[in-house]
Amino acid sequence: MSSWQGGPSWGPGDNGAPGDSGTPDWAALAEASAARTRRKRWLMIGGGVLATAVVGAIVATAVVTTGGKSDPPGGASELPAPAELPEDTSAPAPSFSSVAPPPPPDPKEYISSAAKDKAPITVDGFFPGTKLAMGDRVHLKGATNRTTACATGTQGALGAVLTKNGCEQLIRATYRKDGVAVTVGIAVFDTEARAKKTVDEASGGLASLSGAGVPTFCRGGTVCRRTTNSYGRYAYFTVGGFTDGTRVTAQDKNVFAVGDDLTNFVFRQIHQRGRVQASQAVEAGQ
């Protein structure tokens, strides 16, 4: 029996059925391939389900473990022991004084009597420099004077009042600004009471002080502005007006402004004198 030369031959043991005419069974082959594909799919699905179940079990275990307070690895027996406090409590505890520190001394206490007011009294100590700036207003300093004959620096009855109350010395300085001149004078007494009494009894006024670029002013009956004050053992006065001799009226605000600046300045100078001496007393432990 002859076969087709050059073509495949099919017989028992091959993929064809026994006794086959030599043509492969394409339908059987397709069915076998489909069956293998189905088995692979089910294996993959089954494996995925199993992996998901395993991961879910792990997550559930983790959630259960961390969902509440749990002991550290090894159990509570491995927790660090509480710190042991020393039994010796003999060390002294800090203590605080119930006594409040004394208040700082009042600066006025040091300028109210000669017994405590020991700082030197000088013209430059009260009127330093060549000008006085009060805010945006600048006043040029003119002549100055210091005398122990207090009445010589006054007009009218003020000299007699100063002498009667024991004036020790009188310091004067003149300042000028824009055609206005003001002389300020500080009368020094032994006690605050004498300075106050002088102010209460004051009559007449301070004599103006000319020179150093300031002509004679507020003399010969010219109407000028006068002020009288005291602080501590110091009484202080001003007399101010126009350098050309014009009489001062209530409308001349520039004259009032210069006089008020000097009055405020003298008060501050006296107060500062008390502050300095009070501070020195604290440093010295007095």
Side-chain angles (χ1 to χ4, degrees):
M1 181 178 179
S2 63
S3 62
W4 180 37
Q5 299 294 320
S9 60
W10 303 91
D14 291 342
N15 289 331
D20 193 6
S21 61
T23 300
D25 188 349
W26 299 110
L29 292 174
E31 179 63 25
S33 175
R36 287 192 299 271
T37 300
R38 284 194 296 274
R39 283 194 300 272
K40 290 180 179 180
R41 184 181 301 125
W42 282 110
L43 287 173
M44 292 176 64
I45 292 173
V49 170
L50 179 59
T52 301
V54 172
V55 171
I58 294 173
V59 172
T61 301
V63 169
V64 170
T65 301
T66 61
K69 297 179 179 179
S70 61
D71 291 336
S77 61
E78 294 188 8
L79 288 174
E84 294 183 0
L85 297 176
E87 296 182 359
D88 183 8
T89 58
S90 60
S95 60
F96 301 93
S97 174
S98 60
V99 179
D106 183 359
K108 189 180 178 184
E109 178 184 343
Y110 288 82
I111 45 90
S112 293
S113 70
K116 282 198 170 184
D117 189 9
K118 298 295 187 180
I121 295 176
T122 64
V123 173
D124 289 338
F126 281 109
F127 306 111
T130 60
K131 62 182 67 176
L132 169 64
M134 297 291 285
D136 59 351
R137 298 180 298 277
V138 178
H139 311 289
L140 300 178
K141 188 170 77 173
T144 62
N145 176 265
R146 177 178 179 235
T147 179
T148 57
C150 299
T152 61
T154 65
Q155 296 184 95
L158 182 60
V161 174
L162 293 179
T163 301
K164 183 184 72 171
N165 289 305
C167 177
E168 297 177 352
Q169 55 182 305
L170 178 67
I171 300 172
R172 289 182 296 163
T174 297
Y175 289 84
R176 59 186 172 87
K177 180 182 185 298
D178 299 333
V180 174
V182 175
T183 296
V184 57
I186 303 174
V188 184
F189 297 87
D190 185 60
T191 64
E192 180 179 17
R194 289 179 178 271
K196 286 183 176 180
K197 188 177 180 182
T198 298
V199 171
D200 293 339
E201 298 176 350
S203 179
L206 192 70
S208 63
L209 183 64
S210 59
V214 179
T216 301
F217 67 102
C218 292
R219 296 291 183 99
T222 303
V223 176
C224 290
R225 187 201 183 205
R226 292 182 172 89
T227 66
T228 303
N229 297 276
S230 70
Y231 184 57
R233 69 185 187 113
Y234 301 91
Y236 51 102
F237 313 88
T238 66
V239 55
F242 295 103
T243 55
D244 63 0
T246 303
R247 62 180 294 169
V248 177
T249 69
Q251 285 70 41
D252 293 318
K253 303 301 182 183
N254 50 345
V255 176
F256 284 73
V258 177
D260 290 345
D261 280 349
L262 291 178
T263 297
N264 293 333
F265 174 70
V266 169
F267 171 82
R268 295 178 187 179
Q269 290 293 87
I270 298 172
H271 184 70
Q272 178 63 17
R273 178 181 177 87
R275 290 182 59 185
V276 170
Q277 294 182 91
S279 177
Q280 293 173 345
V282 171
E283 293 177 359
Q286 299 177 358

